[in-house]
Amino acid sequence: MRLSDCYNFHDFRKLAQQRLPGPIFNYIDGAADDEVTLRQNTASFERCDLVPNVLRGVETIDMSVTVMGQKLAMPLYCSPTALQRLFHHTGERAVAAAAAKFGTMFGVSSLGTVSLEELRKAYDTPQVYQFYFHRDRGLNRAMMQRAKEAGVEVMMLTVDSITGGNRERDLRTGFSIPFKLTLAGMYQFAIKPMWGINYVTHEGFKLPQLDRHVDMSGGAMSIGRYFTEMLDPSMNWDDVAEMVQLWNGQFCLKGIMSVADARRAVQIGCTGIVLSNHGGRQLDGSRAPFDQLAEIVDAVGDQIDVVMDGGIQRGTHVLKALSLGAKAVGVGRFYLYPLAAAGQAGVERALGLMRAEIERGMKLMGCRSIDQLSRENLRFR
């Protein structure tokens, strides 16, 4: 199978599975507990039907949006995700370059493998910094100041990860950071030699957002231990309100799912919220963001930018979310599989296919611009 054989999410996933060692593929692919929420995130879109209009003169299509002060050429952005250079040696560099080519936003994680300063200097497309709240308050302030000095446009605080989800696939494979080859996993890497060749012939793996502050040289630290030992489960609304004031700019909370929390985000001065259950990787059994979207838009959509991620695999999924009132949508696995399969070329192909799907869908819906999408275009089963 080649990149040119990939036409949709499932094709990219299949190619990534062929090219990645099992433990790394399962880290991307897996979720918490029984992975019920992972499946429901996409299934939720299937319970909603599109009702198109015709004869609307759709020779030109404008799919641009403005979200959290950022003008995007398409209503989809690359959500920040961790450890990208384990999936492909180009990592965040490939994702940033592809996002810039398509005029959309990309994110850098606290657990990113390329420094946010390097990416900010190389690409002028909007950049999000996804931040975890650590027990060390001084570390939190230092990391925020660093992002501010780098010129990051949007601060994104993840609020649904005060402890790690029970990701049983990772427990079975022993997946950890920094990545360490083990005898038990050697066979998986032996049958996927290109990954190993790329891993050892390119620059060493590192976590540059944390390396000034956290000593990870003493051996492998599991993903679960990072969340459990370093992140602060006592984080509360007062802590976040202080961060919003300190940042004094575009600030969103990722992982909001209840109306009460959405209203509180408005009260403390956030400019955006991301409805998300972390791709089903945290609380299994939690509600799908798409199913919760209308309720939250109705409550706060006129006061704050409401964004969602989770389960998006098609352009029609994007159109359904926008019709319910989302300002834009974020994707994770959607670009991670093509990244793992083919680096920047893979991400560009995935974004290009998605852009074409959104444009085609808008024409078939009878909508020339995003603001013409509405709930009149939807029916729920």
Side-chain angles (χ1 to χ4, degrees), residues 244-275:
V244 171
Q245 291 182 352
L246 183 63
W247 180 253
N248 191 30
Q250 298 290 337
F251 196 109
C252 69
L253 301 184
K254 180 178 181 290
I256 296 294
M257 287 294 289
S258 73
V259 167
D261 286 347
R263 287 177 171 152
R264 194 69 181 270
V266 172
Q267 292 171 0
I268 66 170
C270 294
T271 57
I273 53 174
V274 183
L275 277 63

Side-chain angles (χ1 to χ4, degrees), residues 300-321:
V300 299
D302 60 342
Q303 304 169 68
I304 195 170
D305 283 354
V306 179
V307 180
M308 67 147 286
D309 67 29
I312 292 167
Q313 299 177 3
R314 285 287 190 184
T316 50
H317 296 166
V318 177
L319 295 179
K320 289 174 182 180

Side-chain angles (χ1 to χ4, degrees), residues 284-359:
D284 197 30
S286 62
R287 188 165 169 82
F290 181 68
D291 287 337
Q292 192 69 352
L293 181 57
E295 185 176 332
I296 290 184
V297 168
D298 288 344
V300 299
D302 60 342
Q303 304 169 68
I304 195 170
D305 283 354
V306 179
V307 180
M308 67 147 286
D309 67 29
I312 292 167
Q313 299 177 3
R314 285 287 190 184
T316 50
H317 296 166
V318 177
L319 295 179
K320 289 174 182 180
L322 298 175
S323 295
L324 276 186
K327 297 288 187 182
V329 301
V331 291
R333 292 181 181 92
F334 180 85
Y335 75 83
L336 289 178
Y337 293 130
L339 171 66
Q344 182 178 337
V347 181
E348 288 185 5
R349 182 167 176 83
L351 290 178
L353 289 169
M354 175 61 82
R355 183 173 64 182
E357 286 191 15
I358 294 172
E359 181 176 2

Side-chain angles (χ1 to χ4, degrees), residues 190-202:
I191 63 176
K192 304 289 176 65
M194 284 308 300
W195 181 93
I197 291 171
N198 283 325
Y199 185 79
V200 300
T201 58
H202 291 85

